[in-house]
Amino acid sequence: MATSKDVARLAGVSHTTVSRAFRKDAKIKPETYERIMKISEELGYVPNQIASSLRQKKTKTVGLIISHGFNPLFLDITHSIETELAKHGYRLLISFDDDDPDQQWNILQSLASAQVNTILFTPLVRDPAQKERLHNWMQQSAIHFIQLVSNSYEDITSFTFDDNLGAYLGTRHLLSLGHRNILMIGGVNRTAGYERAYAEFQAVPHHPFQDLTGRDDEESYDNIKNALLTQKPSAVFPVSTSLSYVTYEVLQDLKLEIPRDISFLAFDDERWLQLLHISVIGHPTQALSSSIVREILSYETVDGEIYPSSTTFKPFLIERQSILPFSKMRENG
C-alpha cells in the first residue's frame, strides 16, 4: 500500500508538503500541487482520514519510554515532565526498554493500544531495516511522537542537547589551563567537539581517540585503567554518566589524587559529583522538560497535521575544584 512517504519521494517534496497539498494549502505552488496529485493518483494513495480523526481524541495520556533507566539525567527529565503535565490534567505512562530495540518496539505497540496521544522516546535503531520499519509505523500512526535527546528521524519532532558542543567546551577549558594530554573517555559521537577544541589551540591529542566504553562496567574499568597507565594523561574527561563513575573508581584504585595528580571533568551534573566538587558539563534539563510540555500542550489546539520541529539545548561548564592548571599539578609544580 502506497504511503505519503512514497508520494513525497517521487514528487521531490517533504512528507509535510504532501499533507499540506491534500489540505489544499494555498501557499503550495500550483505546479507542486498538480505533481503531488498526479503521483498520488498513479500510486493509488489516499490520506489516512481515520488516523486524522483519531488525532482529535484527547485522552490526555502521554507515554514515555526510558532507555537509560539508571541515568539520573533522564530521571530528572521524567520527574519534571510528569510534574508539569499533571498540572494540566495529563497522566504519564512510564516504561523502560533496557536499551533493547525489540523491547522498545513491543512497548510502542502497547502504548498505541492504550490510545495515548503522545509518545516520548529515544529511538533505538541498530540497522536500516529496524529504522525503516519504525519510521513507516510512526508515519501511519495517529499518535504524536517526540524524540527525546535524539534526532534519528528528521521529520519527527525532537528535543536534544548539543553534546558535541559539550565536548568542545570541556576540552577547550582543559586546553586553556595548559593540558595537552587529555583523555576523553567514551563519546564516539562527540569527537568533533574534542577535535575542534584541539584545532583552535593548534595542538593535537597525544594519542588517537578510542572509545573505552566496554560491554559492561567491568570491561570499561579495565579499558580505562589500561589507558591511564599507558597514556598517562594529565586530565580525564568521561562524557557519560556511567563512565564518570567508573573513571572515578579507577582513579581511586590507582591512588591518583584529584586534582593534584590528575584533573577530572565529567558530563552531567549528578548529585555525587556535586558532593565531591567535581567540575562538569551541565545540561539545561528544566528548559528541555518545559519545552517538551509546551509542545505536548500545543497539540490540544492544533486542528490538522503537526509540523515537526527540532530544538537543541546548549550545555554549559560548571567549574568546581577538580581541575588544576597543568603547571600547578604535582608532577609539574
Side-chain angles (χ1 to χ4, degrees):
M1 183 176 67
T3 67
S4 59
K5 179 183 177 182
D6 298 323
V7 176
R9 183 177 64 253
L10 293 174
V13 298
S14 68
H15 167 62
T16 54
T17 299
V18 174
S19 299
R20 288 167 56 203
F22 275 93
R23 295 202 310 273
K24 297 184 173 17
D25 190 325
K27 294 181 181 179
I28 293 183
K29 295 179 180 179
E31 57 269 27
T32 302
Y33 173 83
E34 292 298 332
R35 185 166 71 254
I36 291 172
M37 292 299 111
K38 182 175 183 297
I39 292 173
S40 297
E41 183 177 355
E42 291 173 352
L43 296 179
Y45 168 75
V46 292
N48 190 340
Q49 299 297 338
I50 295 177
S52 179
S53 65
L54 283 175
R55 283 194 174 95
Q56 308 310 312
K57 293 176 66 175
K58 309 299 181 184
T59 64
K60 286 200 168 185
T61 303
V62 175
L64 170 59
I65 305 175
I66 299 177
S67 298
H68 309 281
F70 298 103
N71 187 331
L73 176 71
F74 285 88
L75 296 180
D76 286 345
I77 292 171
T78 300
H79 181 263
S80 296
I81 290 174
E82 182 178 36
T83 300
E84 289 301 312
L85 285 177
K87 295 177 182 177
H88 299 275
Y90 281 76
R91 64 185 181 124
L92 190 65
L93 302 181
I94 302 172
S95 299
F96 297 85
D97 62 26
D98 298 325
D99 204 32
D100 182 335
D102 292 330
Q103 187 169 332
Q104 182 180 87
W105 175 255
N106 292 333
I107 294 172
L108 286 167
Q109 307 306 304
S110 296
L111 290 174
S113 298
Q115 294 188 322
V116 299
N117 292 138
T118 304
I119 294 179
L120 306 170
F121 76 123
T122 304
L124 299 177
V125 285
R126 301 287 190 257
D127 58 63
Q130 285 180 331
K131 187 171 184 178
E132 183 74 9
R133 178 183 68 166
L134 179 55
H135 193 216
N136 289 339
W137 180 76
M138 287 191 292
Q139 284 190 322
Q140 295 303 311
S141 174
I143 299 169
H144 302 302
F145 293 94
I146 296 176
Q147 298 176 95
L148 181 60
V149 296
S150 168
N151 191 22
S152 298
Y153 301 96
E154 294 182 357
D155 59 349
I156 302 294
T157 293
S158 65
F159 291 88
T160 61
F161 293 125
D162 189 346
D163 285 335
N164 250 316
L165 175 61
Y168 163 77
L169 293 174
T171 307
R172 184 184 68 177
H173 178 62
L174 293 168
L175 289 167
S176 72
L177 294 174
H179 295 277
R180 291 297 180 268
N181 189 0
I182 302 166
L183 177 62
M184 188 171 81
I185 300 172
V188 67
N189 59 334
R190 300 169 189 173
T191 56
Y194 176 75
E195 293 169 352
R196 172 188 164 195
Y198 266 98
E200 286 188 5
F201 278 78
Q202 298 183 333
V204 294
H206 283 209
H207 302 274
F209 172 81
Q210 62 177 112
D211 188 0
L212 301 175
T213 308
R215 290 167 294 185
D216 51 35
D217 285 353
E218 184 176 351
E219 184 174 346
S220 295
Y221 179 99
D222 292 337
N223 292 344
I224 294 168
K225 183 177 181 179
N226 181 64
L228 286 169
L229 292 173
T230 56
Q231 299 183 26
K232 301 186 183 305
S234 63
V236 288
F237 183 22
V239 292
S240 77
T241 299
S242 60
L243 290 174
S244 292
Y245 186 85
V246 175
T247 300
Y248 183 81
E249 185 179 18
V250 174
L251 296 179
Q252 294 301 295
D253 291 346
L254 292 177
K255 301 188 185 310
L256 292 172
E257 181 185 337
I258 301 169
R260 290 293 290 154
D261 295 320
I262 191 164
S263 289
F264 184 26
L265 175 63
F267 236 65
D268 301 338
D269 193 20
E270 296 184 43
R271 182 61 176 161
W272 72 274
L273 293 167
Q274 297 171 20
L275 293 172
L276 293 172
H277 309 291
I278 304 295
S279 297
V280 300
I281 297 298
H283 295 86
T285 56
Q286 187 57 55
L288 176 136
S289 301
S290 297
S291 295
I292 289 175
V293 171
R294 284 195 297 272
E295 176 76 13
I296 293 170
L297 296 178
S298 73
Y299 298 158
E300 286 190 3
T301 58
V302 174
D303 182 17
E305 185 165 356
I306 304 295
Y307 295 107
S309 61
S310 179
T311 307
T312 302
F313 295 85
K314 295 182 179 180
F316 46 86
L317 174 68
I318 302 175
E319 296 185 59
R320 296 194 178 109
Q321 300 170 19
S322 63
I323 299 173
L324 278 179
F326 179 71
S327 61
K328 293 185 178 180
M329 295 178 67
R330 196 188 306 276
E331 186 176 321
N332 302 282

